[in-house]
Amino acid sequence: MNLFDKIFRKGPKNEKYFQMMNGGTPIFTQFGTNIYASDVVQQVLKCIADEIKKLQPQHIRYNDSDPVPVKGNIQNVLDNPNPLMTSSEFLEKITYLLLLNYNVFILPTYYTWTEETIDEAGNKIEIERRRYEALWPIKPIQVDFIEDESGALFVKFYFGNGENSVIRYSDVIHIKYNFSVNEFMGGDEFGQPDHKAILQTVQLNHTLLQGVAKAMKASYAVNAVVKYNTLMDDGKVQKALDDLQKKLENNESGFLPIDLKNEFIPLEKKIALVDKPTLEFIDSKILRTWRVPLAILQGDFTPAQYEAFYQSCLEPIVISMSQAFTKKIFTQRQLSFGNEIKLYPEELVFMTMDQKLRLVENLAPTGGLFENEKRTIFGLRPDPELVGKRYISLNWIDANKAEDYQLGKLNIDIVDKEDM
């Protein structure tokens, strides 16, 4: 069974296009990528995708306000999304699709069954169970939103090979970018990437670079003029030029011997290039579109610059991805128990040594770090003898009993770690 056998499904009977609030028909063709021809755009998108692929997807379940990591089928599929991609490749793929198309669709494949259980009131109820196999990012060329007689919403995907598939929208992970005027899709009112402004800047940048290349080529086309102070026919002129060329090729001293009949006139090379501020202005306009500072692009950023980049550029994408996965992967019952998908950044690598030391000093006494976590913070390999070991300071007492302890009215009480 191939991928299309798994994701192709028949549409609902008596299907009809979903009625949009603006009266339009929800048919969206994918998706413009002309901006990717620009080298600056490629560098910017790669910069963002390279950061997103570092994220660590984690299935968590909140216990009150405490996020608890959950091991199981969902975490397995997050760690190994499908047979063709690693977790980092999967995140990189959906990031590129999102930034280029302003929409990305991911199809989960899973088994489902029902189990009978007893609720808190003692009633028998049936609950839906799912076992996920894979997560498949897809790139359709057209997307239609349709509904069946009951009003359930479906998505019809058309692919470049002529195939199509109809999927219930509740089973599709749909991440949107610049979700504004369209009811279903990110982008402009037609569900398309709104690249008009950036395309103008990219075209201007391309025109300037072409002009620079032509100016340089033209400036090196003619190096000098040789003036012959006599009248010669065409044949003699060509012969004289051939003789001059041989002298140039055979010359090793740097001096060119000529007689009184010849005059060698070098041309001053004045290359008309675009000034540096103009080129930097064009590049910065492209960078501002995705809020990527030049320091990030060049890789010589400070922790403060990266933090600003993360909050303005990366964090909105991370939140959108986390919430989209959470909404579609879990059933309503699972959501009610506090299950979520979080994408955690490994921010420690951007800390200075002093910041790392302060972090360890503050967290270590509370038991907030395993011993091997302390080692990895400083770039040391985990020690097998320290696996699972975590230490906590005993210099803690109940805040309500601190005064009595100071007055010697009671012995020190060691606070249980669950109370901290």
Side-chain angles (χ1 to χ4, degrees), residues 365-367 390 392-399 401 412-420:
T366 68
R390 180 174 56 177
I392 186 171
S393 173
L394 297 181
N395 297 320
W396 299 84
I397 64 171
D398 191 326
K401 301 177 181 179
I412 185 171
D413 289 331
I414 305 301
V415 177
D416 187 86
K417 63 182 179 180
E418 292 182 356
D419 296 328
M420 294 182 59

PDB file of all heavy atoms in Angstrom, residues 365-367 390 392-399 401 412-420:
ATOM      1  N   PRO A 365      19.880  23.484  43.274  1.00  0.00           N
ATOM      2  CA  PRO A 365      19.441  23.207  44.651  1.00  0.00           C
ATOM      3  C   PRO A 365      17.988  22.762  44.762  1.00  0.00           C
ATOM      4  O   PRO A 365      17.608  22.138  45.753  1.00  0.00           O
ATOM      5  CB  PRO A 365      19.651  24.567  45.357  1.00  0.00           C
ATOM      6  CG  PRO A 365      20.641  25.288  44.516  1.00  0.00           C
ATOM      7  CD  PRO A 365      20.361  24.859  43.119  1.00  0.00           C
ATOM      8  N   THR A 366      17.157  23.070  43.768  1.00  0.00           N
ATOM      9  CA  THR A 366      15.741  22.703  43.830  1.00  0.00           C
ATOM     10  C   THR A 366      15.457  21.333  43.238  1.00  0.00           C
ATOM     11  O   THR A 366      14.307  20.896  43.212  1.00  0.00           O
ATOM     12  CB  THR A 366      14.896  23.740  43.073  1.00  0.00           C
ATOM     13  OG1 THR A 366      15.185  23.657  41.665  1.00  0.00           O
ATOM     14  CG2 THR A 366      15.184  25.144  43.563  1.00  0.00           C
ATOM     15  N   GLY A 367      16.478  20.662  42.732  1.00  0.00           N
ATOM     16  CA  GLY A 367      16.258  19.374  42.072  1.00  0.00           C
ATOM     17  C   GLY A 367      15.693  19.532  40.685  1.00  0.00           C
ATOM     18  O   GLY A 367      15.150  18.582  40.118  1.00  0.00           O
ATOM     19  N   ARG A 390      19.453  12.854  40.452  1.00  0.00           N
ATOM     20  CA  ARG A 390      19.120  14.263  40.625  1.00  0.00           C
ATOM     21  C   ARG A 390      19.219  14.577  42.112  1.00  0.00           C
ATOM     22  O   ARG A 390      18.705  13.831  42.950  1.00  0.00           O
ATOM     23  CB  ARG A 390      17.702  14.532  40.103  1.00  0.00           C
ATOM     24  CG  ARG A 390      17.258  15.962  40.232  1.00  0.00           C
ATOM     25  CD  ARG A 390      15.919  16.171  39.582  1.00  0.00           C
ATOM     26  NE  ARG A 390      14.904  15.275  40.105  1.00  0.00           N
ATOM     27  CZ  ARG A 390      13.636  15.297  39.729  1.00  0.00           C
ATOM     28  NH1 ARG A 390      13.246  16.150  38.804  1.00  0.00           N
ATOM     29  NH2 ARG A 390      12.762  14.469  40.256  1.00  0.00           N
ATOM     30  N   ILE A 392      18.967  17.357  45.480  1.00  0.00           N
ATOM     31  CA  ILE A 392      18.206  18.493  45.972  1.00  0.00           C
ATOM     32  C   ILE A 392      18.823  18.965  47.277  1.00  0.00           C
ATOM     33  O   ILE A 392      19.319  18.171  48.083  1.00  0.00           O
ATOM     34  CB  ILE A 392      16.721  18.112  46.180  1.00  0.00           C
ATOM     35  CG1 ILE A 392      15.893  19.332  46.560  1.00  0.00           C
ATOM     36  CG2 ILE A 392      16.565  17.014  47.223  1.00  0.00           C
ATOM     37  CD1 ILE A 392      14.395  19.060  46.558  1.00  0.00           C
ATOM     38  N   SER A 393      18.828  20.272  47.479  1.00  0.00           N
ATOM     39  CA  SER A 393      19.374  20.825  48.715  1.00  0.00           C
ATOM     40  C   SER A 393      18.440  20.536  49.886  1.00  0.00           C
ATOM     41  O   SER A 393      17.218  20.562  49.749  1.00  0.00           O
ATOM     42  CB  SER A 393      19.546  22.346  48.565  1.00  0.00           C
ATOM     43  OG  SER A 393      19.917  22.923  49.796  1.00  0.00           O
ATOM     44  N   LEU A 394      19.026  20.255  51.040  1.00  0.00           N
ATOM     45  CA  LEU A 394      18.233  20.009  52.245  1.00  0.00           C
ATOM     46  C   LEU A 394      18.040  21.276  53.078  1.00  0.00           C
ATOM     47  O   LEU A 394      17.434  21.228  54.151  1.00  0.00           O
ATOM     48  CB  LEU A 394      18.912  18.936  53.104  1.00  0.00           C
ATOM     49  CG  LEU A 394      19.021  17.555  52.452  1.00  0.00           C
ATOM     50  CD1 LEU A 394      19.689  16.583  53.415  1.00  0.00           C
ATOM     51  CD2 LEU A 394      17.654  17.037  52.050  1.00  0.00           C
ATOM     52  N   ASN A 395      18.551  22.381  52.602  1.00  0.00           N
ATOM     53  CA  ASN A 395      18.459  23.629  53.364  1.00  0.00           C
ATOM     54  C   ASN A 395      17.157  24.363  53.057  1.00  0.00           C
ATOM     55  O   ASN A 395      17.141  25.535  52.669  1.00  0.00           O
ATOM     56  CB  ASN A 395      19.656  24.532  53.041  1.00  0.00           C
ATOM     57  CG  ASN A 395      20.958  23.893  53.453  1.00  0.00           C
ATOM     58  OD1 ASN A 395      21.036  23.271  54.506  1.00  0.00           O
ATOM     59  ND2 ASN A 395      21.983  24.038  52.621  1.00  0.00           N
ATOM     60  N   TRP A 396      16.053  23.633  53.219  1.00  0.00           N
ATOM     61  CA  TRP A 396      14.747  24.235  52.971  1.00  0.00           C
ATOM     62  C   TRP A 396      13.817  23.868  54.133  1.00  0.00           C
ATOM     63  O   TRP A 396      13.834  22.745  54.621  1.00  0.00           O
ATOM     64  CB  TRP A 396      14.128  23.710  51.670  1.00  0.00           C
ATOM     65  CG  TRP A 396      14.951  24.007  50.460  1.00  0.00           C
ATOM     66  CD1 TRP A 396      15.992  23.294  49.980  1.00  0.00           C
ATOM     67  CD2 TRP A 396      14.794  25.117  49.581  1.00  0.00           C
ATOM     68  NE1 TRP A 396      16.517  23.852  48.854  1.00  0.00           N
ATOM     69  CE2 TRP A 396      15.788  24.998  48.573  1.00  0.00           C
ATOM     70  CE3 TRP A 396      13.929  26.200  49.520  1.00  0.00           C
ATOM     71  CZ2 TRP A 396      15.937  25.912  47.550  1.00  0.00           C
ATOM     72  CZ3 TRP A 396      14.071  27.114  48.489  1.00  0.00           C
ATOM     73  CH2 TRP A 396      15.072  26.974  47.521  1.00  0.00           C
ATOM     74  N   ILE A 397      12.982  24.815  54.551  1.00  0.00           N
ATOM     75  CA  ILE A 397      11.983  24.554  55.580  1.00  0.00           C
ATOM     76  C   ILE A 397      10.659  25.157  55.149  1.00  0.00           C
ATOM     77  O   ILE A 397      10.602  25.986  54.231  1.00  0.00           O
ATOM     78  CB  ILE A 397      12.406  25.146  56.956  1.00  0.00           C
ATOM     79  CG1 ILE A 397      12.483  26.675  56.864  1.00  0.00           C
ATOM     80  CG2 ILE A 397      13.705  24.556  57.436  1.00  0.00           C
ATOM     81  CD1 ILE A 397      12.675  27.339  58.211  1.00  0.00           C
ATOM     82  N   ASP A 398       9.607  24.750  55.830  1.00  0.00           N
ATOM     83  CA  ASP A 398       8.275  25.279  55.565  1.00  0.00           C
ATOM     84  C   ASP A 398       8.255  26.767  55.911  1.00  0.00           C
ATOM     85  O   ASP A 398       8.621  27.168  57.023  1.00  0.00           O
ATOM     86  CB  ASP A 398       7.249  24.525  56.412  1.00  0.00           C
ATOM     87  CG  ASP A 398       5.815  24.823  56.000  1.00  0.00           C
ATOM     88  OD1 ASP A 398       5.550  25.975  55.592  1.00  0.00           O
ATOM     89  OD2 ASP A 398       4.980  23.910  56.086  1.00  0.00           O
ATOM     90  N   ALA A 399       7.831  27.599  54.943  1.00  0.00           N
ATOM     91  CA  ALA A 399       7.825  29.045  55.159  1.00  0.00           C
ATOM     92  C   ALA A 399       6.956  29.436  56.340  1.00  0.00           C
ATOM     93  O   ALA A 399       7.249  30.404  57.057  1.00  0.00           O
ATOM     94  CB  ALA A 399       7.357  29.749  53.885  1.00  0.00           C
ATOM     95  N   LYS A 401       6.662  27.898  59.056  1.00  0.00           N
ATOM     96  CA  LYS A 401       7.285  27.516  60.325  1.00  0.00           C
ATOM     97  C   LYS A 401       8.668  28.131  60.503  1.00  0.00           C
ATOM     98  O   LYS A 401       9.388  27.792  61.439  1.00  0.00           O
ATOM     99  CB  LYS A 401       7.395  25.987  60.407  1.00  0.00           C
ATOM    100  CG  LYS A 401       6.044  25.281  60.308  1.00  0.00           C
ATOM    101  CD  LYS A 401       6.217  23.768  60.327  1.00  0.00           C
ATOM    102  CE  LYS A 401       4.871  23.058  60.214  1.00  0.00           C
ATOM    103  NZ  LYS A 401       4.998  21.590  60.198  1.00  0.00           N
ATOM    104  N   ILE A 412      14.227  21.422  62.388  1.00  0.00           N
ATOM    105  CA  ILE A 412      14.036  21.708  60.964  1.00  0.00           C
ATOM    106  C   ILE A 412      13.169  20.641  60.315  1.00  0.00           C
ATOM    107  O   ILE A 412      13.284  19.466  60.609  1.00  0.00           O
ATOM    108  CB  ILE A 412      15.397  21.795  60.235  1.00  0.00           C
ATOM    109  CG1 ILE A 412      15.200  22.215  58.776  1.00  0.00           C
ATOM    110  CG2 ILE A 412      16.154  20.490  60.301  1.00  0.00           C
ATOM    111  CD1 ILE A 412      16.501  22.538  58.063  1.00  0.00           C
ATOM    112  N   ASP A 413      12.252  21.075  59.498  1.00  0.00           N
ATOM    113  CA  ASP A 413      11.422  20.164  58.710  1.00  0.00           C
ATOM    114  C   ASP A 413      11.933  20.166  57.278  1.00  0.00           C
ATOM    115  O   ASP A 413      12.036  21.217  56.646  1.00  0.00           O
ATOM    116  CB  ASP A 413       9.949  20.611  58.712  1.00  0.00           C
ATOM    117  CG  ASP A 413       9.297  20.407  60.068  1.00  0.00           C
ATOM    118  OD1 ASP A 413       9.735  19.488  60.776  1.00  0.00           O
ATOM    119  OD2 ASP A 413       8.369  21.177  60.397  1.00  0.00           O
ATOM    120  N   ILE A 414      12.255  19.008  56.770  1.00  0.00           N
ATOM    121  CA  ILE A 414      12.675  18.891  55.382  1.00  0.00           C
ATOM    122  C   ILE A 414      11.435  18.873  54.502  1.00  0.00           C
ATOM    123  O   ILE A 414      10.547  18.064  54.693  1.00  0.00           O
ATOM    124  CB  ILE A 414      13.501  17.625  55.145  1.00  0.00           C
ATOM    125  CG1 ILE A 414      14.692  17.606  56.117  1.00  0.00           C
ATOM    126  CG2 ILE A 414      13.972  17.547  53.708  1.00  0.00           C
ATOM    127  CD1 ILE A 414      15.607  18.803  55.964  1.00  0.00           C
ATOM    128  N   VAL A 415      11.397  19.790  53.528  1.00  0.00           N
ATOM    129  CA  VAL A 415      10.221  19.893  52.680  1.00  0.00           C
ATOM    130  C   VAL A 415      10.251  18.801  51.636  1.00  0.00           C
ATOM    131  O   VAL A 415      11.266  18.595  50.959  1.00  0.00           O
ATOM    132  CB  VAL A 415      10.183  21.277  51.990  1.00  0.00           C
ATOM    133  CG1 VAL A 415       8.989  21.363  51.052  1.00  0.00           C
ATOM    134  CG2 VAL A 415      10.112  22.369  53.030  1.00  0.00           C
ATOM    135  N   ASP A 416       9.160  18.077  51.521  1.00  0.00           N
ATOM    136  CA  ASP A 416       9.052  17.067  50.487  1.00  0.00           C
ATOM    137  C   ASP A 416       9.072  17.738  49.119  1.00  0.00           C
ATOM    138  O   ASP A 416       8.477  18.799  48.918  1.00  0.00           O
ATOM    139  CB  ASP A 416       7.762  16.263  50.654  1.00  0.00           C
ATOM    140  CG  ASP A 416       7.713  15.099  49.699  1.00  0.00           C
ATOM    141  OD1 ASP A 416       8.256  14.026  50.031  1.00  0.00           O
ATOM    142  OD2 ASP A 416       7.120  15.256  48.616  1.00  0.00           O
ATOM    143  N   LYS A 417       9.727  17.132  48.166  1.00  0.00           N
ATOM    144  CA  LYS A 417       9.871  17.756  46.854  1.00  0.00           C
ATOM    145  C   LYS A 417       8.538  17.977  46.156  1.00  0.00           C
ATOM    146  O   LYS A 417       8.403  18.839  45.309  1.00  0.00           O
ATOM    147  CB  LYS A 417      10.789  16.914  45.958  1.00  0.00           C
ATOM    148  CG  LYS A 417      10.261  15.513  45.654  1.00  0.00           C
ATOM    149  CD  LYS A 417      11.242  14.728  44.815  1.00  0.00           C
ATOM    150  CE  LYS A 417      10.750  13.319  44.528  1.00  0.00           C
ATOM    151  NZ  LYS A 417      11.708  12.577  43.716  1.00  0.00           N
ATOM    152  N   GLU A 418       7.510  17.199  46.495  1.00  0.00           N
ATOM    153  CA  GLU A 418       6.221  17.393  45.872  1.00  0.00           C
ATOM    154  C   GLU A 418       5.544  18.663  46.379  1.00  0.00           C
ATOM    155  O   GLU A 418       4.615  19.159  45.755  1.00  0.00           O
ATOM    156  CB  GLU A 418       5.314  16.188  46.141  1.00  0.00           C
ATOM    157  CG  GLU A 418       5.794  14.922  45.440  1.00  0.00           C
ATOM    158  CD  GLU A 418       4.858  13.762  45.681  1.00  0.00           C
ATOM    159  OE1 GLU A 418       3.893  13.927  46.454  1.00  0.00           O
ATOM    160  OE2 GLU A 418       5.106  12.717  45.076  1.00  0.00           O
ATOM    161  N   ASP A 419       5.989  19.185  47.557  1.00  0.00           N
ATOM    162  CA  ASP A 419       5.397  20.391  48.112  1.00  0.00           C
ATOM    163  C   ASP A 419       6.110  21.657  47.621  1.00  0.00           C
ATOM    164  O   ASP A 419       5.699  22.746  47.939  1.00  0.00           O
ATOM    165  CB  ASP A 419       5.461  20.367  49.643  1.00  0.00           C
ATOM    166  CG  ASP A 419       4.632  19.220  50.213  1.00  0.00           C
ATOM    167  OD1 ASP A 419       3.625  18.878  49.584  1.00  0.00           O
ATOM    168  OD2 ASP A 419       5.012  18.694  51.270  1.00  0.00           O
ATOM    169  N   MET A 420       7.200  21.498  46.860  1.00  0.00           N
ATOM    170  CA  MET A 420       8.001  22.671  46.481  1.00  0.00           C
ATOM    171  C   MET A 420       7.479  23.283  45.196  1.00  0.00           C
ATOM    172  O   MET A 420       7.073  22.612  44.316  1.00  0.00           O
ATOM    173  CB  MET A 420       9.455  22.252  46.309  1.00  0.00           C
ATOM    174  CG  MET A 420      10.093  21.809  47.598  1.00  0.00           C
ATOM    175  SD  MET A 420      11.806  21.379  47.363  1.00  0.00           S
ATOM    176  CE  MET A 420      12.469  22.882  46.751  1.00  0.00           C
TER     177      MET A 420
END
